[in-house]
Amino acid sequence: MAPALTPERAGRFAALALGHVTREYPNKPGHVLAGPEDARTPAALHPVFYGSYDWHSCVHAFWLLARVLRLFPDGAEAGAIRARFDAQLTPGKVAGECASFGRPDARGFERPYGWAWLLKLADELARLPEPRWAGALAPLAGIVVRRFRDFLPLAAYPVRVGTHFNTAFALRLAADYAEGAGDAALRALLLQKAERWYGADEACPAWGEPGGDDFLSSALIEAECMRRLLPPERFGPWFDRFLPDLAAGRPATLFRPAAVTDRSDGKIAHLDGLNLSRAWCFRALAGALPPADPRRPLLIAAAEVHLAAGLPHVAGDYMGEHWLATFALLALAA
């Protein structure tokens, strides 16, 4: 039986996130020091998102909490989630985040991965019945939307690596925000960029997968990006060209879960995330295919194999524990 997002499992994920969103150390800051006055603690620089080892992981841990709260509003951790949001998602603390983003040397801070997750969080908060949290985050979301609008026209080339810099992943998450917010201009820009960057791609060999520190499949996240942004009648022909041998199980490297040799090594631990993010993409892509399509059961089976490889390792060493539950939730809720 395929793994499911049960209330119990969602509660465990939420408990993990609640355990680290306000854990300030260890911490990997991503800001530039322009002078000695910039050597400040994570909480001073980022009053909301100072935990979870790094800024983007804290942001998507908040997304996990919001998603669990929306799916299970009476779940075991619902009260703790609401209390945490009330404590952290306040106008004053968000103003501190905006100030950090407004620094002259912060133009590229968390681009594009953290930007995409911030918008994904804003979209999820907007779907909750309590409007105060989305309202508090809105100024920071507005800054990030402007960053996307300024950056994408300048970005001549995509970034296809399997890590934070992957541009297809960023477009994919930002599309959820654009649609939910009714921002037609942003969505049009995302679609335009996806078509320019990926529209002519075909016969993807996936020969570089997996890389030693990948947590994204460059092939599958590109396909998922196009599935999300293209109209269905255009996605189908594109997908046929992009992975023409998928029904035969090729490229074979996409169907073999990655092996993780040391979960205390933050980079190697990324490969647990690769297994989970592949499962997310496999499930989402399968859902876009007609019921009788022979590729559909193949993709569903691949998702199950990858989930089986990744789910047992969501908790354990902090190098994975501070972020892996987010990708498990993406996969299980796909």
Side-chain angles (χ1 to χ4, degrees):
M1 181 180 295
L5 184 62
T6 62
E8 294 75 21
R9 179 171 270 147
R12 289 196 295 272
F13 290 168
L16 286 173
L18 288 165
H20 61 69
V21 291
T22 54
R23 177 176 170 176
E24 190 170 6
Y25 300 102
N27 197 289
K28 184 181 179 183
H31 64 282
V32 175
L33 298 179
E37 68 279 3
D38 293 334
R40 300 159 64 197
T41 65
L45 281 164
H46 300 290
V48 182
F49 305 117
Y50 61 82
S52 306
Y53 189 72
D54 48 40
W55 190 87
H56 52 256
S57 296
C58 197
V59 171
H60 66 63
F62 270 81
W63 170 83
L64 180 154
L65 294 172
R67 179 73 164 155
V68 169
L69 184 61
R70 181 160 71 92
L71 292 174
F72 305 102
D74 299 316
E77 304 295 338
I81 294 171
R82 292 187 177 96
R84 179 57 56 206
F85 284 2
D86 281 338
Q88 292 297 104
L89 296 174
T90 67
K93 289 187 176 182
V94 172
E97 294 284 350
C98 292
S100 288
F101 263 76
R103 291 158 39 117
D105 52 22
R107 178 183 180 187
F109 176 71
E110 290 289 347
R111 184 179 75 198
Y113 184 77
W115 294 4
W117 272 117
L118 193 283
L119 294 189
K120 182 74 169 166
L121 170 61
D123 176 63
E124 196 64 43
L125 291 173
R127 298 172 187 271
L128 292 171
E130 299 94 332
R132 60 191 180 276
W133 304 317
L137 193 66
L140 184 57
I143 289 173
V144 172
V145 168
R146 290 192 292 275
R147 293 274 167 100
F148 267 112
R149 287 176 174 164
D150 291 343
F151 169 68
L152 288 178
L154 301 176
Y157 308 104
V159 180
R160 301 176 185 270
V161 296
T163 55
H164 307 86
F165 308 103
N166 186 284
T167 45
F169 181 84
L171 297 185
R172 165 64 186 85
L173 293 199
D176 289 343
Y177 171 86
E179 185 173 288
D183 191 333
L186 177 60
R187 196 185 191 290
L189 178 59
L190 299 172
L191 173 59
Q192 177 191 59
K193 212 67 200 185
E195 289 182 305
R196 183 170 299 174
W197 281 342
Y198 310 118
D201 289 358
E202 57 184 34
C204 175
W207 60 265
E209 294 192 36
D213 66 351
D214 286 354
F215 62 89
L216 296 168
S217 161
S218 58
L220 293 176
I221 194 58
E222 178 178 334
E224 171 56 10
C225 171
M226 296 297 270
R227 181 204 66 80
R228 185 65 180 83
L229 284 164
L230 288 178
E233 67 274 11
R234 293 180 56 200
F235 171 70
W238 179 89
F239 191 50
D240 293 345
R241 295 192 304 271
F242 183 62
L243 291 170
D245 299 319
L246 201 61
R250 296 192 298 268
T253 186
L254 293 180
F255 292 89
R256 291 191 295 266
V260 184
T261 57
D262 183 358
R263 291 185 168 87
S264 68
D265 184 299
K267 293 290 190 178
I268 295 175
H270 276 182
L271 293 166
D272 278 321
L274 175 64
N275 290 331
L276 295 169
S277 71
R278 278 183 175 180
W280 166 49
C281 292
F282 280 133
R283 282 186 158 188
L285 294 167
L289 299 176
D293 191 307
R295 296 171 295 182
R296 186 181 172 105
L298 189 70
L299 296 182
I300 293 171
E304 292 187 22
V305 169
H306 281 78
L307 277 170
L311 279 178
H313 307 293
V314 166
D317 193 281
Y318 193 59
M319 285 297 96
E321 190 172 294
H322 75 272
W323 66 280
L324 283 171
T326 294
F327 283 83
L329 183 59
L330 277 176
L332 291 172

